[in-house]
Amino acid sequence: MPFYWAKKILQRKREVTYGTDPVPAAADAALAHEVDFVPYATDGVGRRAIKPWMGRTTKTKMANAKSTLSYFLEMAGAGAAGTAPKWGLDLRCCGFSETINVGIDVQYSPVSAAFDSMTSFWNVDGQRTRANGYRGSPVFEFTSGLPPRLRVAMTGLPLEPDDSAIVTPDFTGWSEPRVVNKVNTPTFTLHGFAPALSSLSIDLANVVAFRDWVNTKDVQITDREPAGQVVIEAPTIAQKNFFSAISGETLGALQLIHGVGAGQIVQVDAPQVQLLNPRYGESQGITTLTMDLEFHPSVGNDEVKITVK
């Protein structure tokens, strides 16, 4: 009998020991969008032994068998200040630390060691595919008229699929998101100027290395080169001369605050942002300025900080 694509669930759970399957609960279900799951991706090793005829001669050997998983989550506050959002797990597995200040806020900062990992459970109408050891890289997207998005791309260690009844998810703790606009996003500043913002994307750009070596098989985060892009209403030179900042290779701060009221706020801070490659465009007949961004550390492990409060 068929199993139905409309009936599916993604669960993720933090691993206490790397690569060791935890037991998922209904509350580990994710309100995920645009899930793209490849349970068994390999690098085919071609073999061309000589034979006295045309065509294939020997089987392709499978090497570096891995699992890849990408999706996006809508970013919103946790509903109460000092409570970790449900998407905090995904950040932790993408090279962020989590610091909970009870009753105040939860802070996420990049780290350079001791990376968390998770196991995913992807169930389509009773056929469950798992992979563990997942680590990856995140992209933050703030686009006017849409809820903020956390887009993640993970790499993990594939496991054998099985038949397992689909669970009833518990989405408690997933707050309702608010779209990016003037009311819901009260603050955006870049290099000391508050322009009209059309969109902002921040890519942590982790270097994610999959290894299948003798005596070890794992996924490691080995570096990062955070970058992004911003699209704003083009200011006059008198209002803000971004071109001077670009030609002078000036570093400046970026801040975005989305959400209003305790438990609803997601704040982004980047202390040292370099602006690159300015170009003009238009949106709804209004001239825009698009610039590429590079995120540099101030004291280390602080290129981009996410605060939920």
Side-chain angles (χ1 to χ4, degrees):
M1 63 179 292
F3 50 99
Y4 298 101
W5 183 246
K7 300 166 63 178
K8 52 188 179 288
I9 184 174
L10 175 66
Q11 295 166 279
R12 321 97 66 237
K13 194 172 183 69
R14 179 178 174 270
E15 296 173 344
V16 177
T17 302
Y18 181 81
T20 300
D21 244 16
V23 178
D28 295 316
L31 275 176
H33 304 252
E34 296 181 5
V35 177
D36 184 9
F37 179 47
V38 180
Y40 198 80
T42 65
D43 301 327
V45 180
R47 303 161 65 224
R48 300 291 296 178
I50 61 170
K51 294 288 179 68
W53 55 75
M54 295 182 183
R56 297 185 181 275
T57 58
T58 49
K59 293 190 298 183
T60 296
K61 305 304 292 184
M62 297 293 102
N64 296 321
K66 65 183 77 67
S67 173
T68 62
L69 174 65
S70 64
Y71 51 92
F72 78 78
L73 307 168
E74 293 173 326
M75 298 173 66
T83 299
K86 298 291 282 189
W87 43 270
L89 169 63
D90 307 85
L91 280 188
R92 293 174 65 177
C93 296
C94 287
F96 280 84
S97 64
E98 179 182 78
T99 302
I100 298 176
N101 300 305
V102 177
I104 302 173
D105 61 25
V106 182
Q107 300 177 9
Y108 295 92
S109 298
V111 293
S112 297
F115 304 104
D116 277 322
S117 64
M118 71 181 188
T119 295
S120 74
F121 306 83
W122 174 239
N123 193 316
V124 181
D125 197 16
Q127 185 173 107
R128 186 178 70 164
T129 310
R130 300 169 296 141
N132 55 28
Y134 268 118
R135 291 176 173 138
S137 189
V139 179
F140 306 94
E141 299 175 343
F142 298 87
T143 302
S144 294
L146 295 174
R149 293 176 174 179
L150 168 61
R151 194 176 294 274
V152 297
M154 299 282 193
T155 301
L157 315 178
L159 300 169
E160 288 294 321
D162 58 21
D163 293 319
S164 179
I166 197 166
V167 303
T168 300
D170 178 3
F171 292 125
T172 302
W174 288 91
S175 298
E176 192 72 20
R178 302 179 181 183
V179 300
V180 175
N181 61 23
K182 179 175 171 38
V183 172
N184 295 332
T185 315
T187 300
F188 176 69
T189 58
L190 179 63
H191 279 230
F193 180 65
L197 174 68
S198 175
S199 65
L200 169 69
S201 65
I202 302 172
D203 184 353
L204 199 66
N206 286 335
V207 178
V208 180
F210 170 83
R211 304 186 304 163
D212 189 359
W213 296 1
V214 176
N215 290 331
T216 191
K217 186 172 183 177
D218 60 13
V219 176
Q220 296 289 342
I221 297 174
T222 60
D223 204 355
R224 61 177 175 266
E225 294 187 349
Q229 186 179 94
V230 66
V231 181
I232 61 173
E233 179 184 308
T236 67
I237 298 300
Q239 288 175 312
K240 179 64 178 181
N241 189 347
F242 282 113
F243 299 94
S244 176
I246 292 168
S247 63
E249 301 176 357
T250 304
L251 300 179
L254 176 153
Q255 184 181 76
L256 182 143
I257 299 176
H258 178 77
V260 178
Q264 305 299 324
I265 296 171
V266 177
Q267 179 172 324
V268 180
D269 289 285
Q272 303 267 42
V273 179
Q274 184 173 3
L275 310 176
L276 301 164
N277 304 321
R279 54 233 183 245
Y280 288 113
E282 69 84 25
S283 176
Q284 298 177 281
I286 304 298
T287 302
T288 59
L289 179 63
T290 298
M291 295 176 285
D292 295 333
L293 310 174
E294 285 186 356
F295 297 85
H296 296 268
S298 177
V299 296
N301 294 321
D302 61 350
E303 302 99 311
V304 179
K305 180 180 179 180
I306 309 296
T307 303
V308 181
K309 57 185 181 179

